[in-house]
Amino acid sequence: MKDDALNRVKYDALVIGSGISGMESALKLGDMGYKVLVVEKEASVGGKMILLSKVFPTLDCASCISTPKMGATIHHPNLTVLTYAEVETIERQDGGFRARIKQKPRFVVETACTGCRQCEMVCKVAVPDEFNADLVSRRAAHIAFPQAVPKKAVIERQGTSRCTFNCPAGIKAHGYVALVRSGEYEKAFQLVADATPLVGSLGRACYAPCESECSRGNLEGPLSIRRLKRFVADMHYAKPRVAPETPPANGMKVAVVGSGPAGLTAAWHLARKGYEVKIFEAAPQPGGMMRLALPPYRLPIEVVEQDIANVTDIGVTIQTNSRIEDLEALKAQGFSAVLVAIGTHLGAKLRVPGEDLQGIVRATEFLRAAKLGERLEVAGKRVVVIGGGNVAIDAARTAMRLHAGSVEVLSLESLKEMPAHPWEIAEAKAEGVTFRHSCGVRDFEGDERVRSINLLRCISVLDEKGRFNPKYSDKRAGTVEGDLVVVAAGMRPDSGEFGLPINPSGTFQVDKGTLQTCIPDVFAAGDAVAGPTMITSAAGEGRRAAFMIDRWLHGQAMDVEEFERRLEMVDKEAVLARQSTYRELPAGAPREAVKLAPGEFYPDEETMTEVEALDAAARCLDCGVCSECNSCVDICPAHAIDLKMQEQEIEAEVGTVLLATGYTLFPADLKPQYGYGKFKNVITGMQMDRLLAPTRPYNAVVRPGDGKVPDSIAFILCTGSRDETLGNPMCSRICCMYSIKHNQLIMGALPLADVTVYYMDVRTPSKGYNEFYEQAKGMGANFVKGRVASISEKDNGNLLLRYEDIENGTVTETEHDMVVLAVGVRPNDEAARLFPGNDLRLDEFGWVGESNEDVNPGATNISGVFVAGAASGVKDIPDSILHAGGAAAQAAAYLERHGRPATDAAALAEKLAAEPANGGAPAASTTETGPASATGSSTAKAAGVAR
Amino acid sequence: MTTANREIREIVRDEHIMRNRILRLLEGRPSTIPEIAEGLGAPPSEVTYWVMGMRKYGYVREEKEVTDEGYYRYQAIEREIG
């Protein structure tokens, strides 16, 4: 929140939770004229009741009863409802309370979303559907359930996925993996291309920092993310090229100096924004280091050319053999801005005696000559490469391929310290390259031509601050004879001609965030700024440069934060903790050190087959949940998706608080003898309710284990209630009745099915309940008095129940197709956590304590804080509503006794409406309805916030 | 019937990748969940997740009648995959 004052709002009452009790309390207070703020953690109001099939004993449709109340709640003129929001703390303040509320981002602009579900239909990430009790999947982009109010989509994001977060180029790596998993290879290619046109090159030669951070790396090994990119690139390039649509021109020209990864990527983005872009390249061919330095076995030239064609296809022109030295001349040609992205093509010198002897070359020159097919005198020669980085390894391996007699790499570093990647070193060794570590060059000897190298022992490479500052012992470390010496001791840009301020390393001085030089319309990016990096890093800086140039030329703020805004990287441990077990999915054969014969420059890695690609993508853990594949963004007809939304903090001052946080269901797997979670056809009562509901997850009541219509269904009452061994001695009150409801509904849906209820005793404590019970028995439900001791599973998925038949005094086994565990309920401990110092008193079982249940129901030990419904103890629906109404009356009386705070209920809505990042909700109605004057209307007044 | 249990999250994560395989199995031949499971070599309980997810998102629908063994058959719905 940029302006704290705007996030302070005042209400008469805060209602936490919007289940049937929360809605009832809020509506009652609203009808009395009080301004009420309702905070609901889920994306819809309705709580658990809306998820039920029917209610007992009337068998009225739960949805039919709930939805009018949900609509009334959301549209009531005195109610403001924040869905997908959570109260974090409540503190007493000035006679009232101050609540801190976290508004979670939906990533969907609520005012724009029409609830069409198209985002959900195309979403590529499937997760268990908690609103269907995990019986089926939902999508990361979803509407909570069909009757959701508000019926607005929400995109579940738990952070930026680690692969995506760590891609310097800004490629949505998780996104393209998810698209591959769905078989949408072309979309995957286009998603990569949204960040950089170098899809093929990065698919071959990227060092894949994404893979280093992959959460699956903590299991069997990381995903082959780079190879998946190569797969989609190869699939794309195997098809005939299709001329892309060129964007409408915006009338401005930008010059890019240099056609390496930074220049090409910047040109790509600028051209897609309508700029006329011309690249000036000093070399005879475009591509920078990708073409001139990377050996073809790592990056074939034809792949570079395919990537470059992406850029030229949308209208970018490239002028080669064109060395730019005068930036002013470019401006005179009508270019509004210039990007200097010249790379680092100069090899650094060692500055030791004899360095100018013939036979000593820079690695950049050597690799360039090799790549361009120039004649090199290498065959049969003793080649010595000086350097410990990847360029040194590239030079060494290239020399081997050019039939060198021997190749030895001399590095200052020990083997472990070498900057080159270990697999590259291993591959070089496999090809016959030898290494000599911890040695530096003292001098070169020879007449006109180098003959030998005298070495010094290097005792340290970096100083105490981590800077490159090698230290040597006085003793010589031997002499190496060589015919050709390739020096790979660093690279620097050829930056002297431009008249721009440079650093001692030769790199350009720029603003790190905007890449702007001291000349405002001249920008610099890539290795020419950062020094030698990776293709992906240079591409990322090219993307940044294009973003900044566009803003500059349009007179917009150079907003670095806007460019860099994204969610925090999701925590790896949190990702892995989502599951307690993982099926082992091999990471694929590790890259083997392949010895290529001299002269072989063909790629040392095959592209994946489609099956391999799908298997590889299937290993993804969906770290951030949403993959950012942009499928929803592309399809949303209302353009409502905004993946850059931020969480917001809201501070509410309220006169009174009502806790309507409800209850939780007993986790059935805590009764292992019943096999829940292990035997597929053992389900819970809530799952049976979902199977029976009109919005059920399946087409009928069928077994989760195999889709069979069950012939014989057993119910086990008191699962997790009245059970001292589980610390819950209380009767849950509702389990008997909801099971009897299930009995009746099943006998209606499956007339031939047998229903058996195993019980200790059946409790029917309210009006019409016993008649309901008798009715079920009359319909044929079989009630067996006996505690089930254990369940075992047969090969066909049927279940054997072993139980003591109390009435007959026998221990018996009976087979059923399906078992329903009538799980009890437990207190929801969320309410207690809201009050610092545990000020809120709970009863001995953990429910919110009432000061005096007999004469003062609803009042807690904190004056001004009330509890509504099942948060104070298990209740059926009628009792919850009754209790919630009483709590509302208590709260109203409290407000009248203590005075109402000055409310500004419209402020929050107005503020949020003005700030689309929070959903751009419409303003809450400012209709004033004073106490006792409200109509209680559920008519659709202008909606409150977050609707 | 008893197979090494996978967590639900892991099973449903496979839905997208299994979808085309299931649709190929259903080409011209509506099948029950056990039949699909046999065709895929996957546990029927996991196939239930995938088929029901595909049903929810409009890729398959059930036939009206159940088989003598008590299973619904599911058939592919012609639609553009995307």
Side-chain angles (χ1 to χ4, degrees):
Chain A
M1 280 290 183
K2 291 172 185 168
D3 185 345
D4 285 344
L6 282 177
N7 296 301
R8 291 201 197 101
V9 292
K10 295 178 181 177
Y11 285 83
D12 291 318
L14 168 66
V15 175
I16 305 172
S18 70
I20 190 63
S21 301
M23 292 193 292
E24 182 66 19
S25 291
L27 286 168
K28 286 285 179 284
L29 284 167
D31 285 353
M32 287 186 260
Y34 297 105
K35 297 293 184 185
V36 183
L37 178 63
V38 181
V39 178
E40 167 57 51
K41 66 181 178 180
E42 302 294 350
S44 168
V45 298
K48 291 188 179 66
M49 183 178 167
I50 185 63
L51 303 177
L52 302 178
S53 52
K54 293 179 185 285
V55 296
F56 55 78
T58 59
L59 292 186
D60 286 328
C61 165
S63 293
C64 307
I65 298 172
S66 290
T67 47
K69 265 200 195 310
M70 293 161 69
T73 301
I74 212 86
H75 293 304
H76 196 289
N78 287 336
L79 268 53
T80 299
V81 183
L82 294 177
T83 54
Y84 215 49
E86 291 182 32
V87 178
E88 296 191 308
T89 60
I90 299 173
E91 294 173 357
R92 185 171 280 288
Q93 174 186 280
D94 301 333
F97 299 91
R98 183 178 61 191
R100 291 188 180 279
I101 300 163
K102 177 176 71 179
Q103 175 65 65
K104 297 179 283 187
R106 282 176 175 266
F107 303 102
V108 172
V109 179
E110 283 193 54
T111 47
C113 177
T114 62
C116 68
R117 289 184 73 213
Q118 289 195 51
C119 55
E120 189 174 352
M121 303 305 281
V122 299
C123 181
K124 306 303 175 210
V125 176
V127 293
D129 182 358
E130 62 271 40
F131 300 105
N132 269 310
D134 288 354
L135 285 168
V136 72
S137 65
R138 65 163 171 83
R139 300 292 181 251
H142 65 287
I143 289 176
F145 42 86
Q147 318 94 318
V149 177
K151 193 167 184 179
K152 305 290 183 182
V154 59
I155 298 175
E156 184 182 354
R157 300 191 67 196
Q158 294 187 2
T160 301
S161 295
R162 302 179 65 81
C163 50
T164 298
F165 192 92
N166 285 285
C167 178
I171 296 169
K172 310 293 188 194
H174 181 191
Y176 76 74
V177 170
L179 286 163
V180 169
R181 187 171 56 190
S182 297
E184 298 185 31
Y185 311 132
E186 180 58 25
K187 283 186 180 174
F189 177 91
Q190 297 300 340
L191 185 69
V192 180
D194 280 345
T196 175
L198 310 176
V199 189
S201 298
L202 287 170
R204 306 281 180 134
C206 184
Y207 286 125
C210 49
E211 295 182 12
S212 307
E213 292 294 332
C214 175
S215 296
R216 193 107 211 176
N218 282 30
L219 301 173
E220 318 89 338
L223 264 73
S224 302
I225 304 172
R226 175 188 60 78
R227 292 191 69 199
L228 285 171
K229 183 156 58 235
R230 173 175 171 176
F231 170 76
V232 298
D234 287 356
M235 293 285 279
H236 175 84
Y237 289 135
K239 294 183 291 189
R241 289 193 85 85
V242 178
E245 286 185 21
T246 50
N250 67 11
M252 286 188 272
K253 292 170 62 178
V254 176
V256 175
V257 184
S259 64
L264 288 168
T265 302
W268 168 251
H269 284 283
L270 289 165
R272 298 204 326 169
K273 290 177 185 290
Y275 291 92
E276 181 183 338
V277 185
K278 185 168 185 176
I279 299 177
F280 297 90
E281 169 56 53
Q285 293 167 322
M289 288 290 189
M290 295 185 298
R291 181 189 286 271
L292 300 176
L294 285 179
Y297 60 86
R298 279 185 59 201
L299 180 54
I301 284 176
E302 55 268 31
V303 174
V304 179
E305 288 176 339
Q306 286 165 331
D307 286 346
I308 292 172
N310 294 333
V311 181
T312 53
D313 281 354
I314 58 168
V316 174
T317 55
I318 302 176
Q319 184 173 313
T320 55
N321 291 313
S322 185
R323 188 178 186 82
I324 297 298
E325 294 174 348
D326 184 357
L327 297 177
E328 286 300 319
L330 288 177
K331 289 186 198 172
Q333 292 177 40
F335 292 104
S336 304
V338 179
L339 173 65
V340 181
I342 58 173
T344 49
H345 290 270
L346 292 182
K349 284 196 162 190
L350 292 172
R351 302 182 194 286
V352 297
E355 195 172 3
D356 294 328
L357 288 168
Q358 290 179 21
I360 300 175
V361 297
R362 312 285 152 230
T364 49
E365 297 162 11
F366 177 76
L367 290 168
R368 175 186 171 121
K371 194 86 184 266
L372 295 179
E374 294 172 4
R375 184 176 170 80
L376 286 164
E377 300 292 338
V378 177
K381 298 284 176 61
R382 295 168 299 179
V383 177
V384 180
V385 178
I386 297 170
N390 289 315
V391 174
I393 304 298
D394 284 348
R397 298 178 71 186
T398 296
M400 287 301 292
R401 283 164 173 72
L402 294 172
H403 306 276
S406 66
V407 179
E408 183 169 24
V409 174
L410 309 179
S411 72
L412 289 171
E413 301 88 354
S414 66
L415 177 61
K416 283 185 179 176
E417 293 169 331
M418 281 180 72
H421 291 118
W423 66 87
E424 299 237 36
I425 297 169
E427 287 172 357
K429 283 183 176 175
E431 290 169 12
V433 176
T434 59
F435 287 81
R436 188 180 297 212
H437 300 290
S438 302
C439 57
V441 177
R442 195 188 74 164
D443 56 38
F444 296 97
E445 284 187 2
D447 299 324
E448 290 187 353
R449 189 171 182 85
V450 66
R451 187 175 58 244
S452 61
I453 310 162
N454 294 316
L455 303 177
L456 290 170
R457 175 65 52 198
C458 179
I459 53 178
S460 68
V461 181
L462 306 176
D463 64 17
E464 62 280 0
K465 292 183 177 174
R467 292 175 300 202
F468 182 75
N469 187 13
K471 296 280 191 301
Y472 303 93
S473 73
D474 294 335
K475 295 179 182 175
R476 286 173 57 169
T479 297
V480 176
E481 295 190 343
D483 308 312
L484 174 67
V485 177
V486 181
V487 179
M491 296 178 292
R492 52 186 292 139
D494 189 2
S495 52
E497 311 283 352
F498 291 92
L500 297 169
I502 58 173
N503 299 305
S505 62
T507 55
F508 294 109
Q509 292 179 4
V510 296
D511 180 298
K512 291 276 170 56
T514 66
L515 301 179
Q516 206 165 19
T517 68
C518 62
I519 305 172
D521 44 10
V522 176
F523 295 73
D527 287 4
V529 169
T533 54
M534 302 182 284
I535 301 173
T536 178
S537 302
E541 290 304 276
R543 190 170 70 89
R544 178 190 293 266
F547 178 88
M548 294 300 170
I549 290 170
D550 179 52
R551 291 185 80 89
W552 174 256
L553 292 179
H554 281 91
Q556 298 170 321
M558 303 294 275
D559 191 346
V560 177
E561 190 181 323
E562 172 67 16
F563 178 76
E564 296 176 346
R565 185 182 297 163
R566 55 185 174 172
L567 298 189
E568 293 289 313
M569 181 170 69
V570 67
D571 178 63
K572 187 182 282 189
E573 298 305 321
V575 171
L576 295 171
R578 290 177 194 154
Q579 289 177 221
S580 56
T581 61
Y582 287 86
R583 184 173 69 172
E584 188 173 335
L585 295 172
R591 185 183 166 106
E592 290 182 12
V594 181
K595 181 178 179 180
L596 298 180
E600 290 180 347
F601 274 95
Y602 58 77
D604 58 354
E605 175 188 86
E606 295 297 321
T607 193
M608 286 176 165
T609 64
E610 184 173 7
V611 170
E612 287 171 339
L614 290 169
D615 286 345
R619 299 180 63 243
C620 178
L621 296 174
D622 293 323
C623 294
V625 184
C626 164
S627 72
E628 298 183 82
C629 73
N630 280 354
S631 296
C632 55
V633 177
D634 294 340
I635 202 162
C636 178
H639 308 293
I641 312 292
D642 178 3
L643 295 178
K644 287 194 169 183
M645 271 187 186
Q646 300 284 304
E647 181 179 296
Q648 301 210 20
E649 291 282 335
I650 297 166
E651 197 172 287
E653 292 175 24
V654 297
T656 184
V657 177
L658 283 97
L659 304 171
T661 47
Y663 60 88
T664 61
L665 290 166
F666 172 76
D669 54 359
L670 294 184
K671 292 280 282 186
Q673 60 268 46
Y674 291 166
Y676 180 76
K678 181 179 174 190
F679 305 144
K680 303 303 179 190
N681 297 321
V682 176
I683 66 172
T684 67
M686 178 54 97
Q687 288 179 314
M688 179 52 85
D689 243 304
R690 292 306 305 149
L691 290 180
L692 290 163
T695 55
R696 55 183 166 253
Y698 301 169
N699 50 295
V701 178
V702 299
R703 305 199 304 184
D706 58 1
K708 181 176 182 288
V709 177
D711 292 328
S712 168
I713 303 172
F715 287 79
I716 300 177
L717 303 192
C718 298
T719 303
S721 58
R722 301 175 67 195
D723 192 338
E724 295 276 4
T725 64
L726 295 165
N728 186 20
M730 289 186 72
C731 169
S732 286
R733 279 191 68 186
I734 57 174
C735 321
C736 293
M737 294 306 298
Y738 78 58
S739 295
I740 294 168
K741 175 189 75 177
H742 291 158
N743 298 165
Q744 294 205 20
L745 294 174
I746 287 169
M747 287 186 284
L750 306 172
L752 300 180
D754 294 327
V755 172
T756 305
V757 180
Y758 296 90
Y759 72 99
M760 294 303 292
D761 60 328
V762 175
R763 296 184 175 181
T764 56
S766 284
K767 188 173 77 175
Y769 286 12
N770 198 55
E771 291 78 2
F772 193 59
Y773 171 40
E774 293 299 331
Q775 188 177 27
K777 287 197 286 189
M779 291 171 71
N782 178 29
F783 284 76
V784 175
K785 187 173 180 67
R787 184 73 118 178
V788 175
S790 65
I791 298 176
S792 56
E793 188 185 48
K794 295 181 68 177
D795 285 346
N796 63 0
N798 285 357
L799 300 151
L800 284 175
L801 273 61
R802 184 176 174 81
Y803 65 99
E804 181 187 5
D805 186 332
I806 294 172
E807 289 180 345
N808 293 320
T810 57
V811 174
T812 308
E813 276 196 345
T814 303
E815 184 173 334
H816 296 279
D817 285 356
M818 192 172 180
V819 171
V820 183
L821 303 177
V823 292
V825 299
R826 303 207 298 189
N828 182 355
D829 61 3
E830 288 177 15
R833 291 203 299 261
L834 301 175
F835 297 88
N838 298 319
D839 291 340
L840 183 70
R841 188 184 67 78
L842 305 180
D843 69 17
E844 62 183 304
F845 303 109
W847 302 91
V848 176
E850 293 174 282
S851 303
N852 189 324
E853 290 180 36
D854 299 326
V855 297
N856 197 15
T860 71
N861 64 310
I862 302 174
S863 177
V865 176
F866 301 92
V867 59
S872 64
V874 64
K875 295 173 180 61
D876 59 22
I877 291 168
D879 284 357
S880 293
I881 293 173
L882 192 66
H883 190 268
Q890 291 265 36
Y894 177 86
L895 287 170
E896 294 305 314
R897 278 199 307 273
H898 291 82
R900 299 170 63 189
T903 61
D904 56 354
L908 176 59
E910 285 171 3
K911 182 254 171 282
L912 294 175
E915 194 167 309
N918 191 48
S925 168
T926 53
T927 306
E928 286 297 330
T929 49
S933 67
T935 62
S937 165
S938 62
T939 53
K941 302 290 285 187
V945 295
R947 292 175 189 177
Chain B
M1 182 74 186
T2 303
T3 54
N5 280 338
R6 289 208 290 161
E7 293 209 12
I8 295 170
R9 194 174 191 95
E10 190 167 87
I11 297 167
V12 301
R13 204 160 49 226
D14 284 346
E15 185 180 317
H16 280 97
I17 210 158
M18 300 308 296
R19 188 175 66 203
N20 287 344
R21 296 176 190 177
I22 291 172
L23 289 175
R24 277 196 290 273
L25 279 174
L26 297 181
E27 276 175 10
R29 190 166 64 96
S31 302
T32 65
I33 285 173
E35 288 167 349
I36 298 168
E38 190 178 353
L40 294 173
S45 58
E46 298 192 5
V47 174
T48 304
Y49 274 106
W50 302 328
V51 169
M52 294 307 173
M54 291 170 66
R55 180 183 172 278
K56 179 177 177 180
Y57 290 106
Y59 290 89
V60 298
R61 64 168 160 256
E62 65 280 2
E63 292 189 334
K64 282 186 178 174
E65 302 298 325
V66 295
T67 64
D68 292 343
E69 292 75 31
Y71 294 97
Y72 283 92
R73 283 200 172 92
Y74 298 88
Q75 57 181 290
I77 297 173
E78 282 189 22
R79 53 170 279 173
E80 186 181 339
I81 296 173

